[in-house]
PDB file of all heavy atoms in Angstrom:
ATOM      1  N   ILE A  26      21.302  17.414  -7.041  1.00 95.00           N
ATOM      2  CA  ILE A  26      22.633  17.560  -7.646  1.00 95.00           C
ATOM      3  C   ILE A  26      23.470  16.309  -7.403  1.00 95.00           C
ATOM      4  O   ILE A  26      24.257  15.900  -8.255  1.00 95.00           O
ATOM      5  CB  ILE A  26      23.351  18.809  -7.089  1.00 95.00           C
ATOM      6  CG1 ILE A  26      22.549  20.078  -7.419  1.00 95.00           C
ATOM      7  CG2 ILE A  26      24.774  18.913  -7.628  1.00 95.00           C
ATOM      8  CD1 ILE A  26      22.400  20.369  -8.906  1.00 95.00           C
ATOM      9  N   GLY A  27      23.311  15.670  -6.235  1.00 93.00           N
ATOM     10  CA  GLY A  27      24.103  14.486  -5.929  1.00 93.00           C
ATOM     11  C   GLY A  27      23.470  13.653  -4.828  1.00 93.00           C
ATOM     12  O   GLY A  27      22.459  14.040  -4.223  1.00 93.00           O
ATOM     13  N   GLU A  28      24.082  12.487  -4.582  1.00 94.00           N
ATOM     14  CA  GLU A  28      23.533  11.554  -3.600  1.00 94.00           C
ATOM     15  C   GLU A  28      23.524  12.148  -2.185  1.00 94.00           C
ATOM     16  O   GLU A  28      22.619  11.882  -1.396  1.00 94.00           O
ATOM     17  CB  GLU A  28      24.343  10.248  -3.592  1.00 94.00           C
ATOM     18  CG  GLU A  28      24.093   9.352  -4.792  1.00 94.00           C
ATOM     19  CD  GLU A  28      24.950   9.714  -5.995  1.00 94.00           C
ATOM     20  OE1 GLU A  28      25.635  10.775  -5.950  1.00 94.00           O
ATOM     21  OE2 GLU A  28      24.941   8.966  -6.989  1.00 94.00           O
ATOM     22  N   GLN A  29      24.538  12.960  -1.877  1.00 94.00           N
ATOM     23  CA  GLN A  29      24.591  13.550  -0.537  1.00 94.00           C
ATOM     24  C   GLN A  29      23.410  14.489  -0.307  1.00 94.00           C
ATOM     25  O   GLN A  29      22.824  14.519   0.781  1.00 94.00           O
ATOM     26  CB  GLN A  29      25.910  14.303  -0.348  1.00 94.00           C
ATOM     27  CG  GLN A  29      26.133  14.764   1.084  1.00 94.00           C
ATOM     28  CD  GLN A  29      27.474  15.451   1.252  1.00 94.00           C
ATOM     29  OE1 GLN A  29      27.832  16.359   0.510  1.00 94.00           O
ATOM     30  NE2 GLN A  29      28.234  15.012   2.245  1.00 94.00           N
ATOM     31  N   GLN A  30      23.039  15.239  -1.325  1.00 96.00           N
ATOM     32  CA  GLN A  30      21.889  16.132  -1.198  1.00 96.00           C
ATOM     33  C   GLN A  30      20.602  15.332  -0.980  1.00 96.00           C
ATOM     34  O   GLN A  30      19.741  15.735  -0.189  1.00 96.00           O
ATOM     35  CB  GLN A  30      21.763  17.012  -2.446  1.00 96.00           C
ATOM     36  CG  GLN A  30      20.686  18.085  -2.316  1.00 96.00           C
ATOM     37  CD  GLN A  30      20.502  18.891  -3.592  1.00 96.00           C
ATOM     38  OE1 GLN A  30      21.083  18.573  -4.628  1.00 96.00           O
ATOM     39  NE2 GLN A  30      19.697  19.928  -3.527  1.00 96.00           N
ATOM     40  N   LEU A  31      20.475  14.192  -1.663  1.00 97.00           N
ATOM     41  CA  LEU A  31      19.302  13.337  -1.464  1.00 97.00           C
ATOM     42  C   LEU A  31      19.260  12.804  -0.033  1.00 97.00           C
ATOM     43  O   LEU A  31      18.202  12.782   0.610  1.00 97.00           O
ATOM     44  CB  LEU A  31      19.331  12.167  -2.458  1.00 97.00           C
ATOM     45  CG  LEU A  31      19.052  12.507  -3.921  1.00 97.00           C
ATOM     46  CD1 LEU A  31      19.366  11.314  -4.818  1.00 97.00           C
ATOM     47  CD2 LEU A  31      17.607  12.945  -4.116  1.00 97.00           C
ATOM     48  N   GLU A  32      20.416  12.402   0.468  1.00 96.00           N
ATOM     49  CA  GLU A  32      20.493  11.882   1.834  1.00 96.00           C
ATOM     50  C   GLU A  32      20.128  12.967   2.849  1.00 96.00           C
ATOM     51  O   GLU A  32      19.374  12.727   3.803  1.00 96.00           O
ATOM     52  CB  GLU A  32      21.920  11.374   2.094  1.00 96.00           C
ATOM     53  CG  GLU A  32      22.119  10.773   3.472  1.00 96.00           C
ATOM     54  CD  GLU A  32      23.595  10.689   3.848  1.00 96.00           C
ATOM     55  OE1 GLU A  32      24.445  10.580   2.948  1.00 96.00           O
ATOM     56  OE2 GLU A  32      23.878  10.768   5.060  1.00 96.00           O
ATOM     57  N   VAL A  33      20.650  14.178   2.641  1.00 96.00           N
ATOM     58  CA  VAL A  33      20.345  15.297   3.537  1.00 96.00           C
ATOM     59  C   VAL A  33      18.856  15.641   3.472  1.00 96.00           C
ATOM     60  O   VAL A  33      18.218  15.922   4.493  1.00 96.00           O
ATOM     61  CB  VAL A  33      21.215  16.526   3.178  1.00 96.00           C
ATOM     62  CG1 VAL A  33      20.696  17.789   3.859  1.00 96.00           C
ATOM     63  CG2 VAL A  33      22.665  16.275   3.573  1.00 96.00           C
ATOM     64  N   THR A  34      18.288  15.592   2.278  1.00 96.00           N
ATOM     65  CA  THR A  34      16.860  15.883   2.117  1.00 96.00           C
ATOM     66  C   THR A  34      16.020  14.895   2.918  1.00 96.00           C
ATOM     67  O   THR A  34      15.071  15.286   3.617  1.00 96.00           O
ATOM     68  CB  THR A  34      16.469  15.824   0.627  1.00 96.00           C
ATOM     69  OG1 THR A  34      17.217  16.801  -0.100  1.00 96.00           O
ATOM     70  CG2 THR A  34      14.981  16.078   0.430  1.00 96.00           C
ATOM     71  N   ALA A  35      16.371  13.614   2.848  1.00 96.00           N
ATOM     72  CA  ALA A  35      15.638  12.596   3.605  1.00 96.00           C
ATOM     73  C   ALA A  35      15.736  12.868   5.107  1.00 96.00           C
ATOM     74  O   ALA A  35      14.743  12.759   5.847  1.00 96.00           O
ATOM     75  CB  ALA A  35      16.185  11.211   3.280  1.00 96.00           C
ATOM     76  N   SER A  36      16.925  13.245   5.556  1.00 96.00           N
ATOM     77  CA  SER A  36      17.129  13.528   6.979  1.00 96.00           C
ATOM     78  C   SER A  36      16.346  14.763   7.414  1.00 96.00           C
ATOM     79  O   SER A  36      15.750  14.791   8.502  1.00 96.00           O
ATOM     80  CB  SER A  36      18.628  13.724   7.238  1.00 96.00           C
ATOM     81  OG  SER A  36      18.876  13.914   8.604  1.00 96.00           O
ATOM     82  N   MET A  37      16.318  15.795   6.561  1.00 95.00           N
ATOM     83  CA  MET A  37      15.589  17.029   6.893  1.00 95.00           C
ATOM     84  C   MET A  37      14.077  16.799   6.896  1.00 95.00           C
ATOM     85  O   MET A  37      13.349  17.412   7.684  1.00 95.00           O
ATOM     86  CB  MET A  37      15.977  18.141   5.918  1.00 95.00           C
ATOM     87  CG  MET A  37      17.413  18.610   6.088  1.00 95.00           C
ATOM     88  SD  MET A  37      17.936  19.791   4.833  1.00 95.00           S
ATOM     89  CE  MET A  37      17.387  21.328   5.544  1.00 95.00           C
ATOM     90  N   LEU A  38      13.596  15.940   6.019  1.00 95.00           N
ATOM     91  CA  LEU A  38      12.165  15.618   6.022  1.00 95.00           C
ATOM     92  C   LEU A  38      11.762  15.005   7.360  1.00 95.00           C
ATOM     93  O   LEU A  38      10.707  15.321   7.918  1.00 95.00           O
ATOM     94  CB  LEU A  38      11.840  14.643   4.883  1.00 95.00           C
ATOM     95  CG  LEU A  38      11.770  15.239   3.477  1.00 95.00           C
ATOM     96  CD1 LEU A  38      11.778  14.131   2.425  1.00 95.00           C
ATOM     97  CD2 LEU A  38      10.523  16.102   3.304  1.00 95.00           C
ATOM     98  N   LYS A  39      12.620  14.156   7.868  1.00 95.00           N
ATOM     99  CA  LYS A  39      12.335  13.520   9.165  1.00 95.00           C
ATOM    100  C   LYS A  39      12.422  14.538  10.301  1.00 95.00           C
ATOM    101  O   LYS A  39      11.555  14.592  11.181  1.00 95.00           O
ATOM    102  CB  LYS A  39      13.338  12.377   9.393  1.00 95.00           C
ATOM    103  CG  LYS A  39      13.159  11.639  10.707  1.00 95.00           C
ATOM    104  CD  LYS A  39      11.845  10.892  10.752  1.00 95.00           C
ATOM    105  CE  LYS A  39      11.705  10.093  12.041  1.00 95.00           C
ATOM    106  NZ  LYS A  39      10.353   9.516  12.180  1.00 95.00           N
ATOM    107  N   GLU A  40      13.459  15.368  10.264  1.00 92.00           N
ATOM    108  CA  GLU A  40      13.703  16.316  11.347  1.00 92.00           C
ATOM    109  C   GLU A  40      12.666  17.441  11.367  1.00 92.00           C
ATOM    110  O   GLU A  40      12.126  17.801  12.413  1.00 92.00           O
ATOM    111  CB  GLU A  40      15.112  16.906  11.191  1.00 92.00           C
ATOM    112  CG  GLU A  40      15.481  17.967  12.209  1.00 92.00           C
ATOM    113  CD  GLU A  40      15.509  17.439  13.629  1.00 92.00           C
ATOM    114  OE1 GLU A  40      16.017  16.323  13.841  1.00 92.00           O
ATOM    115  OE2 GLU A  40      14.991  18.128  14.522  1.00 92.00           O
ATOM    116  N   ARG A  41      12.393  18.000  10.185  1.00 92.00           N
ATOM    117  CA  ARG A  41      11.507  19.174  10.125  1.00 92.00           C
ATOM    118  C   ARG A  41      10.029  18.814  10.107  1.00 92.00           C
ATOM    119  O   ARG A  41       9.200  19.508  10.689  1.00 92.00           O
ATOM    120  CB  ARG A  41      11.821  20.001   8.874  1.00 92.00           C
ATOM    121  CG  ARG A  41      13.147  20.718   8.888  1.00 92.00           C
ATOM    122  CD  ARG A  41      13.242  21.569   7.625  1.00 92.00           C
ATOM    123  NE  ARG A  41      14.476  22.337   7.558  1.00 92.00           N
ATOM    124  CZ  ARG A  41      14.740  23.203   6.585  1.00 92.00           C
ATOM    125  NH1 ARG A  41      13.854  23.403   5.622  1.00 92.00           N
ATOM    126  NH2 ARG A  41      15.867  23.872   6.565  1.00 92.00           N
ATOM    127  N   TYR A  42       9.693  17.751   9.357  1.00 93.00           N
ATOM    128  CA  TYR A  42       8.279  17.470   9.090  1.00 93.00           C
ATOM    129  C   TYR A  42       7.812  16.134   9.660  1.00 93.00           C
ATOM    130  O   TYR A  42       6.665  15.739   9.443  1.00 93.00           O
ATOM    131  CB  TYR A  42       8.022  17.515   7.576  1.00 93.00           C
ATOM    132  CG  TYR A  42       8.361  18.853   6.963  1.00 93.00           C
ATOM    133  CD1 TYR A  42       9.587  19.054   6.314  1.00 93.00           C
ATOM    134  CD2 TYR A  42       7.481  19.925   7.045  1.00 93.00           C
ATOM    135  CE1 TYR A  42       9.918  20.288   5.759  1.00 93.00           C
ATOM    136  CE2 TYR A  42       7.800  21.166   6.489  1.00 93.00           C
ATOM    137  CZ  TYR A  42       9.023  21.334   5.856  1.00 93.00           C
ATOM    138  OH  TYR A  42       9.340  22.553   5.309  1.00 93.00           O
ATOM    139  N   ASN A  43       8.738  15.421  10.320  1.00 95.00           N
ATOM    140  CA  ASN A  43       8.407  14.141  10.951  1.00 95.00           C
ATOM    141  C   ASN A  43       7.785  13.161   9.960  1.00 95.00           C
ATOM    142  O   ASN A  43       6.785  12.492  10.248  1.00 95.00           O
ATOM    143  CB  ASN A  43       7.466  14.351  12.150  1.00 95.00           C
ATOM    144  CG  ASN A  43       7.402  13.110  13.027  1.00 95.00           C
ATOM    145  OD1 ASN A  43       8.361  12.340  13.104  1.00 95.00           O
ATOM    146  ND2 ASN A  43       6.262  12.896  13.672  1.00 95.00           N
ATOM    147  N   VAL A  44       8.366  13.091   8.787  1.00 96.00           N
ATOM    148  CA  VAL A  44       7.918  12.119   7.782  1.00 96.00           C
ATOM    149  C   VAL A  44       9.143  11.370   7.267  1.00 96.00           C
ATOM    150  O   VAL A  44      10.150  11.977   6.907  1.00 96.00           O
ATOM    151  CB  VAL A  44       7.127  12.801   6.641  1.00 96.00           C
ATOM    152  CG1 VAL A  44       7.947  13.874   5.952  1.00 96.00           C
ATOM    153  CG2 VAL A  44       6.656  11.783   5.613  1.00 96.00           C
ATOM    154  N   SER A  45       9.065  10.051   7.273  1.00 96.00           N
ATOM    155  CA  SER A  45      10.198   9.220   6.839  1.00 96.00           C
ATOM    156  C   SER A  45      10.028   8.853   5.378  1.00 96.00           C
ATOM    157  O   SER A  45       8.934   8.475   4.935  1.00 96.00           O
ATOM    158  CB  SER A  45      10.277   7.949   7.684  1.00 96.00           C
ATOM    159  OG  SER A  45      10.548   8.270   9.035  1.00 96.00           O
ATOM    160  N   ILE A  46      11.125   8.953   4.643  1.00 96.00           N
ATOM    161  CA  ILE A  46      11.115   8.681   3.210  1.00 96.00           C
ATOM    162  C   ILE A  46      12.065   7.520   2.928  1.00 96.00           C
ATOM    163  O   ILE A  46      13.117   7.392   3.557  1.00 96.00           O
ATOM    164  CB  ILE A  46      11.532   9.953   2.426  1.00 96.00           C
ATOM    165  CG1 ILE A  46      11.403   9.753   0.915  1.00 96.00           C
ATOM    166  CG2 ILE A  46      12.925  10.390   2.777  1.00 96.00           C
ATOM    167  CD1 ILE A  46      11.669  11.022   0.119  1.00 96.00           C
ATOM    168  N   VAL A  47      11.668   6.656   2.005  1.00 96.00           N
ATOM    169  CA  VAL A  47      12.519   5.540   1.579  1.00 96.00           C
ATOM    170  C   VAL A  47      13.045   5.852   0.186  1.00 96.00           C
ATOM    171  O   VAL A  47      12.264   6.075  -0.748  1.00 96.00           O
ATOM    172  CB  VAL A  47      11.731   4.213   1.568  1.00 96.00           C
ATOM    173  CG1 VAL A  47      12.614   3.078   1.049  1.00 96.00           C
ATOM    174  CG2 VAL A  47      11.212   3.885   2.958  1.00 96.00           C
ATOM    175  N   LEU A  48      14.369   5.899   0.050  1.00 96.00           N
ATOM    176  CA  LEU A  48      15.003   6.135  -1.243  1.00 96.00           C
ATOM    177  C   LEU A  48      15.528   4.811  -1.786  1.00 96.00           C
ATOM    178  O   LEU A  48      16.100   4.010  -1.039  1.00 96.00           O
ATOM    179  CB  LEU A  48      16.160   7.128  -1.105  1.00 96.00           C
ATOM    180  CG  LEU A  48      15.796   8.551  -0.680  1.00 96.00           C
ATOM    181  CD1 LEU A  48      17.046   9.357  -0.359  1.00 96.00           C
ATOM    182  CD2 LEU A  48      14.987   9.253  -1.772  1.00 96.00           C
ATOM    183  N   SER A  49      15.349   4.570  -3.078  1.00 95.00           N
ATOM    184  CA  SER A  49      15.789   3.301  -3.660  1.00 95.00           C
ATOM    185  C   SER A  49      16.220   3.511  -5.109  1.00 95.00           C
ATOM    186  O   SER A  49      15.937   4.552  -5.719  1.00 95.00           O
ATOM    187  CB  SER A  49      14.662   2.265  -3.597  1.00 95.00           C
ATOM    188  OG  SER A  49      13.508   2.741  -4.282  1.00 95.00           O
TER     189      SER A  49
END
């Protein structure tokens, strides 16, 4: 829906699944 949701998704991927994502 927005950039904040994308940012939160990246943070949750790291926290929950220990995988880092690069957004560009």
Side-chain angles (χ1 to χ4, degrees):
I26 299 297
E28 286 85 352
Q29 189 177 51
Q30 187 184 7
L31 288 169
E32 182 198 332
V33 166
T34 299
S36 184
M37 292 174 86
L38 284 166
K39 180 66 177 172
E40 177 63 42
R41 290 184 178 184
Y42 301 98
N43 195 29
V44 58
S45 296
I46 186 174
V47 177
L48 295 170
S49 58

